[in-house]
Amino acid sequence: PDWTHGGGPIKYHKRSSVMARFLSLLNTNRYLSGQSALTGHIGKVLVANRGEIACRIMRTAEILGIKTVAVYSDADRYSLHVETADESQHIGSAAADKSYLCIDHLIDAAKRSKAEAIHPGYGFLSERYEFAEACDREGIIFIGPPASAIRSMGDKIEAKQLMSSAGVPIVLGYHDNDQSDGRLKDEAQKIGPPLMIKAALGGGGRGMRIVNSMGEFENQLDSARSEAKSTFGNDHVLLEKYIKEPRQTC
């Protein structure tokens, strides 16, 4: 389909998830409606991410006539996403938990730049309901699902519990809040290798490790937790039976 903006059509490809997310917001968000959304109701968006995903969002925003604000830490002051944006804001030191995972710093950056909306990209805070709630409290549009949906589905442990209680078949595994080493090891032995350790938050394959024998469980658990903590700010994990040759059915 085409959307008209500024007198010309906006071409939308069904595989463009970034464009889809923008247009979904612009056409369904309670703050925006119809053609007014595409003629500049959102005048400026802060992209709370970096690298290629931030650049893609910025290119989409440019097509829609929306100004963009990049954020950067001490480590990526001169990165491409900073140069691509219309303006930029410094959000902290190189460590992710002092910059890209710091909700207060991102909200402050949006206020300083007078951005009406924040696009989280993927990873980092994109699946943290606290971020969506903070945006809502400050009157900033969060480009993504409502906080209630993120709370239920962004945390894989809670999502698994929700699906299980609804009678939806799920992969054999452990998805509870007891994160002690002893409990996780006991549950891993019950499941049996090969099994998968997964970060409870986030996505993109980060914080995931395959365990082929119980002798490597502890090292793989430490590795998964460490990556999950540095990437998503949370080291909780769940365990699942590893399915070597899965088949997708629709």
Side-chain angles (χ1 to χ4, degrees), residues 213-246:
S213 70
M214 287 306 300
E216 62 187 47
F217 177 76
E218 292 181 7
N219 286 339
Q220 293 290 58
L221 176 61
D222 289 343
S223 178
R225 280 173 163 171
S226 176
E227 185 173 42
K229 181 68 174 179
S230 64
T231 307
F232 309 121
N234 184 298
D235 64 358
H236 286 192
V237 299
L238 57 86
L239 308 176
E240 284 185 346
K241 190 68 178 179
Y242 177 57
I243 301 175
K244 291 184 177 180
E245 297 182 2

Side-chain angles (χ1 to χ4, degrees), residues 58-210:
M58 291 165 186
R59 288 193 292 267
T60 299
E62 183 179 9
I63 292 171
L64 296 174
I66 299 171
K67 297 293 185 182
T68 54
V69 182
V71 293
Y72 63 90
S73 70
D74 292 344
D76 40 35
R77 181 183 298 267
Y78 304 107
S79 295
L80 179 60
H81 76 281
V82 178
E83 297 179 4
T84 302
D86 295 293
E87 57 186 273
S88 60
Q89 293 284 336
H90 180 250
I91 54 170
S93 58
D97 61 349
K98 303 296 183 183
S99 52
Y100 293 95
L101 291 173
C102 186
I103 293 175
D104 289 344
H105 291 188
L106 291 164
I107 295 294
D108 287 345
K111 288 181 176 179
R112 291 196 303 269
S113 61
K114 295 180 172 57
E116 296 100 333
I118 292 179
H119 195 308
Y122 61 76
F124 288 135
L125 294 172
S126 64
E127 296 184 31
R128 293 277 295 277
Y129 72 88
E130 299 97 334
F131 190 30
E133 287 181 340
C135 289
D136 191 54
R137 285 195 303 270
E138 298 297 334
I140 299 169
I141 297 169
F142 179 81
I143 301 179
S148 58
I150 299 174
R151 181 193 292 268
S152 295
M153 303 309 295
D155 184 329
K156 298 183 188 70
I157 291 176
E158 184 172 345
K160 288 278 189 179
Q161 293 171 344
L162 180 63
M163 294 300 100
S164 181
S165 66
V168 177
I170 59 175
V171 176
L172 173 67
Y174 172 74
H175 33 82
D176 209 333
N177 295 319
D178 185 346
Q179 293 286 305
S180 64
D181 291 355
R183 180 64 184 276
L184 289 171
K185 188 171 184 178
D186 287 345
E187 295 296 334
Q189 289 174 332
K190 292 178 185 178
I191 298 166
L195 61 92
M196 177 81 77
I197 302 172
K198 288 185 178 180
L201 302 184
R206 307 300 295 275
M208 295 175 62
R209 298 293 185 273
I210 298 171

